Amino acid sequence: MKFTGTETYVATADLTVAVNAAVTLERPLLVKGEPGTGKTELARQVAASLGLPIIEWHVKSTTRAQQGLYEYDAVSRLRDSQLGDERVNDVRNYIRRGKLWDAFVSEGRSVLLIDEIDKADIEFPNDLLQELDRMEFHVYETGETVRAQRRPIVIITSNNEKELPDAFLRRCFFHYISFPDMETMRRIVDVHFPDIRESLLTAALTRFYEIRDMSGLKKKPSTSEVLDWLKLLLAEDLSAEDLRAPGKDALPRLHGALLKNEQDVHLFERLAFMARGGR
């Protein structure tokens, strides 16, 4: 059972090594990288490549670790008891399974995605240490212990919004997805737009990397954004000459796909103004 990438996902050699090492070690794979570099999609593609079901847990700022295990709905039980509902006699009726529970009792092996773990409270990763280590947890309301039938492949993503605790990091296999170089980006584009003209692709990627290398840019455009931009360029039937015409310091055509805040738009406007001699 080896991951080698898929027809729709270009995985570099070091990324495939990281995925397969984590699977062999039976440790969570912690994936970091710029937003838009395919961290979340990696879990889906690993599942597709290995023919496994995927269970996705998308973490928010209000998410608690306990929600990944289960939640006990005491309010509903109290309400039902007041209404004389017979369901109150079985506490299991008020236990809501979380994503870890689903992964633990899944028939056969599964892929568990814990997405953007750094969005949650700093204690969130520590609260999952024992469950991810032992692959089991106790349900206090029913007295049962839920154990993983097959250890799931756990992929955890982070955008580095918060530092993760050392105790948590020690239990993970770590990989940082570097931003794709020009050649890798060409392979990625070829998956999505196999018929794109070579001249347009060269001009677009040259312009894209020039923008990423600009000093003072608040948010560098990502892989997903260059794919959106290329889709628009093709829809508008623009040519390589259309991209080169305005000059290096001018706003790129259809810049809304690449620049996502007014500060970066104003930066281009100032550069264009200076290039015209301040007139």
Side-chain angles (χ1 to χ4, degrees):
M1 185 178 285
K2 293 284 186 180
F3 173 68
T4 57
T6 68
E7 292 182 358
T8 58
Y9 188 89
V10 176
T12 57
D14 58 341
L15 178 56
T16 59
V17 167
V19 171
N20 292 316
V23 172
T24 300
L25 293 172
E26 296 189 328
R27 289 187 176 272
L29 173 64
L30 174 61
V31 184
K32 293 187 178 182
E34 290 183 32
T37 49
K39 300 184 297 297
T40 301
E41 187 61 24
L42 170 65
R44 296 167 182 157
Q45 296 298 326
V46 168
S49 173
L50 302 181
L52 301 176
I54 184 167
I55 297 169
E56 301 187 16
W57 185 14
H58 299 284
V59 176
K60 301 178 182 179
S61 60
T62 55
T63 303
R64 295 176 293 107
Q66 180 64 33
Q67 292 172 305
L69 308 179
Y70 70 93
E71 291 185 279
Y72 170 52
D73 191 354
V75 174
S76 292
R77 193 180 189 194
L78 175 61
R79 183 190 63 238
D80 289 348
S81 67
Q82 293 170 339
L83 296 173
D85 194 322
E86 292 185 359
R87 295 176 72 248
V88 300
N89 296 321
D90 188 353
V91 69
R92 290 177 177 82
N93 292 322
Y94 304 93
I95 300 292
R96 290 201 293 265
R97 296 185 347 185
K99 298 297 185 180
L100 266 72
W101 189 328
D102 289 340
F104 286 3
V105 300
S106 173
E107 292 186 12
R109 204 168 198 183
S110 63
V111 174
L112 172 63
L113 167 65
I114 305 178
D115 196 30
E116 298 189 330
I117 194 172
D118 52 321
K119 279 188 174 180
D121 184 84
I122 189 62
E123 290 304 318
F124 180 92
N126 279 336
D127 290 343
L128 290 176
L129 286 180
Q130 181 170 311
E131 288 74 19
L132 290 177
D133 253 357
R134 299 183 180 180
M135 286 290 155
E136 66 177 41
F137 61 90
H138 188 69
V139 183
Y140 296 98
E141 289 77 9
T142 64
E144 65 181 307
T145 297
V146 178
R147 293 186 179 89
Q149 304 301 311
R150 289 287 307 274
R151 180 180 284 266
I153 298 171
V154 181
I155 298 179
I156 303 170
T157 72
S158 170
N159 287 325
N160 260 345
E161 291 185 12
K162 295 189 186 78
E163 287 294 325
L164 299 175
D166 289 344
F168 180 80
L169 295 175
R170 283 197 299 271
R171 288 164 169 82
C172 297
F173 191 93
F174 172 75
H175 182 74
Y176 183 87
I177 298 182
S178 301
F179 195 83
D181 58 20
M182 180 80 81
E183 184 56 37
T184 303
M185 187 65 79
R186 283 179 173 273
R187 290 168 55 202
I188 293 171
V189 171
D190 184 60
V191 168
H192 296 270
F193 308 108
D195 299 324
I196 190 170
R197 297 187 302 278
E198 177 62 27
S199 59
L200 176 62
L201 177 59
T202 298
L205 290 185
T206 299
R207 188 75 177 103
F208 172 72
Y209 280 98
E210 286 175 351
I211 293 170
R212 278 189 56 87
D213 291 339
M214 283 187 63
S215 176
L217 206 63
K218 185 176 181 180
K219 183 192 177 303
K220 295 181 179 182
S222 68
T223 304
S224 60
E225 287 158 348
V226 73
L227 293 176
D228 286 345
W229 188 48
L230 289 170
K231 184 176 182 178
L232 290 174
L233 297 180
L234 291 171
E236 295 293 324
D237 198 24
L238 297 180
S239 66
E241 290 69 29
D242 293 324
L243 300 186
R244 300 189 190 104
K248 183 177 178 179
D249 295 324
L251 274 169
R253 300 288 291 269
L254 301 166
H255 65 269
L258 299 174
L259 306 177
K260 298 305 174 86
N261 60 69
E262 64 277 9
Q263 177 178 314
D264 291 341
V265 174
H266 292 162
L267 174 62
F268 273 90
E269 291 173 342
R270 288 196 301 272
L271 290 173
F273 179 75
M274 294 169 63
R276 294 195 299 268
R279 297 188 296 275

